């Protein structure tokens, strides 16, 4: 019997064995908008060090003071420089220009894109298809020296910002090219009570995840709700 034959196969890694991310600094670009503000609040409340970024540092500092929990405010460039993980929560129409202007500051960073390219007309919300395929793929194209993932698309900004709500009952679909990066984002999502991060594929599958927000907007309007998602049997 050869040593190869006798060697035991390593057990498969437990998909729920996620890293400790408590020491990471999380930056939120667009942290003065509803989604960014809500994510910053929830992560900081869970004990994460958070810096929110805005084009105007004064506006970011004012929002940080309002949110409390040790959150700091800075302009987008400083926010990106000082953070280990950077969540992109800017409006879609400013997505490309914002990231292009921060390419140097975001080099080497783990970037989490949560932007949903949507249009609106008399019939309601509908998905837009960026030339690159999705907002996340646009981010990856613009930030070749960053580690781009996609997550946090389907969260209600209203629920995130409501201090009366202790738990957010939802799953977060996380996409990325490198499993270790995805697991960091899953672990960040899991720090928020009630929330769970689920691996959902590579960035080429980000378009349908981003697009699903248009359906959730329709759900919310019909049922006067703040709908989220749960993945069953996982």
């Amino acid at each position: 019997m050869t040593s190869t034959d006798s060697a035991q196969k390593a057990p498969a890694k437990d998909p729920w064995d996620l890293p400790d991310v408590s020491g990471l600094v999380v930056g939120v670009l667009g942290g003065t908008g509803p989604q960014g503000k809500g994510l910053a609040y929830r992560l900081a409340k869970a004990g994460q060090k958070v810096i929110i970024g805005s084009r105007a540092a004064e506006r970011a500092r004012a929002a940080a003071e309002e949110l409390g929990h040790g959150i700091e405010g800075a302009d987008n460039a400083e926010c990106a420089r000082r953070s280990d993980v950077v969540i992109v929560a800017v409006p879609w129409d400013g997505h490309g220009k914002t990231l292009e202007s921060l390419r140097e500051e975001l080099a080497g960073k783990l970037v989490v894109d949560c932007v949903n390219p949507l249009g609106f007309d008399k019939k309601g919300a509908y998905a837009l298809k960026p030339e690159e395929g999705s907002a996340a793929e646009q981010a990856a194209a613009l930030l070749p020296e960053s580690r781009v993932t996609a997550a946090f698309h389907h969260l209600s900004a209203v629920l995130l910002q409501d201090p009366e709500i202790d738990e957010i009952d939802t799953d977060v679909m996380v996409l990325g090219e490198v499993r270790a990066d995805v697991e960091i984002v899953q672990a960040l999502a899991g720090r928020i009570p009630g929330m769970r991060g689920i691996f959902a594929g590579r960035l080429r599958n980000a378009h349908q995840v981003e697009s699903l927000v248009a359906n959730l907007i329709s759900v919310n309007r019909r049922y006067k709700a703040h709908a989220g998602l749960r993945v069953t049997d996982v």
Side-chain angles (χ1 to χ4, degrees):
M1 181 179 293
T2 66
S3 59
T4 303
D5 294 330
S6 61
Q8 290 190 353
K9 187 178 179 181
K13 183 180 183 296
D14 180 355
W16 297 112
D17 179 16
L18 301 174
D20 177 10
V21 296
S22 59
L24 296 179
V25 177
V26 178
V28 184
L29 302 180
T32 58
Q35 193 81 351
K37 209 171 181 180
L39 279 169
Y41 170 69
R42 289 292 164 179
L43 287 168
K45 189 178 180 183
Q48 210 73 38
K49 174 59 186 173
V50 176
I51 303 170
I52 59 176
S54 174
R55 285 178 296 178
E58 295 81 7
R59 188 178 175 199
R61 284 193 282 267
E65 186 175 346
E66 176 191 339
L67 292 172
H69 295 283
I71 298 172
E72 293 184 48
D75 63 47
N76 282 331
E78 183 184 345
C79 172
R81 276 194 301 268
R82 292 180 55 197
S83 302
D84 302 304
V85 179
V86 179
I87 297 173
V88 181
V90 299
W92 167 240
D93 58 7
H95 182 264
K97 287 185 179 179
T98 299
L99 296 184
E100 196 170 19
S101 70
L102 296 170
R103 182 176 295 163
E104 183 178 339
E105 290 84 359
L106 290 171
K109 308 287 184 178
L110 176 53
V111 174
V112 187
D113 201 298
C114 69
V115 176
N116 303 304
L118 297 176
F120 295 87
D121 59 18
K122 292 180 180 179
K123 295 181 180 180
Y126 61 95
L128 302 175
K129 186 72 177 282
E131 183 179 343
E132 297 85 355
S134 63
E137 288 169 294
Q138 183 183 88
L142 292 172
L143 304 172
E145 296 181 38
S146 302
R147 296 140 53 207
V148 177
T149 61
F152 300 117
H153 302 90
H154 307 135
L155 306 181
S156 163
V158 173
L159 297 184
L160 287 173
Q161 293 184 83
D162 189 341
E164 298 300 314
I165 294 175
D166 294 324
E167 295 189 4
I168 306 292
D169 181 25
T170 193
D171 285 333
V172 172
M173 301 179 79
V174 186
L175 303 96
E177 300 302 314
V178 178
R179 189 65 56 89
D181 291 338
V182 170
E183 289 179 350
I184 289 172
V185 182
Q186 287 181 263
L188 280 173
R191 297 210 74 202
I192 299 172
M195 200 175 287
R196 184 177 65 158
I198 301 284
F199 171 68
R202 294 180 178 269
L203 288 186
R204 69 180 184 179
N205 292 319
H207 172 65
Q208 57 263 37
V209 174
E210 296 169 2
S211 301
L212 191 55
V213 174
N215 302 88
L216 288 177
I217 289 172
S218 297
V219 170
N220 289 338
R221 286 180 173 172
R222 174 61 63 89
Y223 299 102
K224 310 301 181 192
H226 302 293
L229 294 178
R230 278 293 188 197
V231 180
T232 62
D233 198 31
V234 176

